[in-house]
Amino acid sequence: EIVMTQSPATLSVSPGERATLSCRASQSVSNNLAWYQQKAGQAPRLLIFGASTRATGIPARFSGSGSGTDFTLTISSLQSEDFAVYYCQQYNNWPPWTFGQGTKVEIK
Amino acid sequence: EVQLVESGGGLVKPGGSLRLSCAASGFTFSSYNMNWVRQAPGKGLEWVASISSTSSYIYYADSVKGRFTISRDNAKNSLYLQMNSLRAEDTAVYYCARVSGQLLSRDFDYWGQGSLVTVSS
């Protein structure tokens, strides 16, 4: 089973600042990695697939990068609606499809 | 508009059973692979089960294997999760989620709003 490890667990950022979230896989997942955003009381929403492709309707301030075992989600200028929990997920080696434990982006 | 609507959650005693349903609309349900993903209170996301578009391929997480059964009825545009021998640790919000594209090696592009299952005496 591929273990996904996200860091940091919590990221405190001021509105308008840049946020950088990391995700590491225990073995290579190529570019078969997705990022999801989950706000309190809501279902997860797909942000990025293929490590770097934004899903439909996702603003350009969200960008993904990386390949193999190390991945990054960058939010270039945080808006109030971006404060949420973010999960990475690998879909290269399955089953199981595995998620990271999440990074909470909170207001500083 | 793609919509996934779960139902069937509730309170059940340990050892009991429950059947979740997910009604799909806004897309050709029979062409897509589907999943169940759960989230325990205050915890992260855990994949539970996956079923291919024609039900030919079915996979389960080790934590539910032998107790849960995923199925689908393409004529009714519906996905199901039969949960037996429920344990306290199965308490979670259960989401149905669509796999994007035609392969299982893809992301989950649409999610339902979730159905809460509470296992407690």
Side-chain angles (χ1 to χ4, degrees), chain A residues 36 38 43 46 49 87 94 97, chain B residues 39 95 104-105 107-108 112:
Chain A
Y36 300 88
Q38 187 178 34
L46 176 67
F49 63 92
Y87 295 94
W94 47 264
W97 289 257
Chain B
Q39 186 170 38
Y95 297 100
L104 283 167
S105 288
D107 50 278
F108 300 172

Side-chain angles (χ1 to χ4, degrees), chain B:
Chain B
E1 178 195 5
V2 172
Q3 282 200 319
L4 298 169
V5 179
E6 300 94 338
S7 60
L11 175 63
V12 61
K13 289 181 168 53
S17 297
L18 212 55
R19 189 196 197 204
L20 301 182
S21 299
C22 172
S25 60
F27 65 102
T28 304
F29 180 72
S30 59
S31 296
Y32 286 85
N33 306 314
M34 299 293 296
N35 294 275
W36 289 99
V37 178
R38 69 184 179 182
Q39 186 170 38
K43 302 297 184 183
L45 301 170
E46 179 189 16
W47 168 78
V48 172
S50 180
I51 186 168
S52 63
S53 58
T54 60
S55 303
S56 297
Y57 300 98
I58 288 175
Y59 304 95
Y60 296 99
D62 287 344
S63 58
V64 307
K65 201 172 293 182
R67 300 187 299 122
F68 289 12
T69 302
I70 188 173
S71 62
R72 64 191 296 162
D73 185 336
N74 287 341
K76 294 183 177 180
N77 292 335
S78 293
L79 176 72
Y80 306 102
L81 186 68
Q82 177 67 43
M83 303 183 292
N84 298 332
S85 303
L86 282 160
R87 306 166 180 167
E89 54 265 37
D90 295 318
T91 294
V93 174
Y94 285 74
Y95 297 100
C96 64
R98 189 183 84 166
V99 179
S100 71
Q102 305 303 306
L103 301 176
L104 283 167
S105 288
R106 291 298 304 266
D107 50 278
F108 300 172
D109 60 351
Y110 287 94
W111 298 62
Q113 87 289 350
S115 184
L116 176 62
V117 173
T118 303
V119 184
S120 175
S121 55

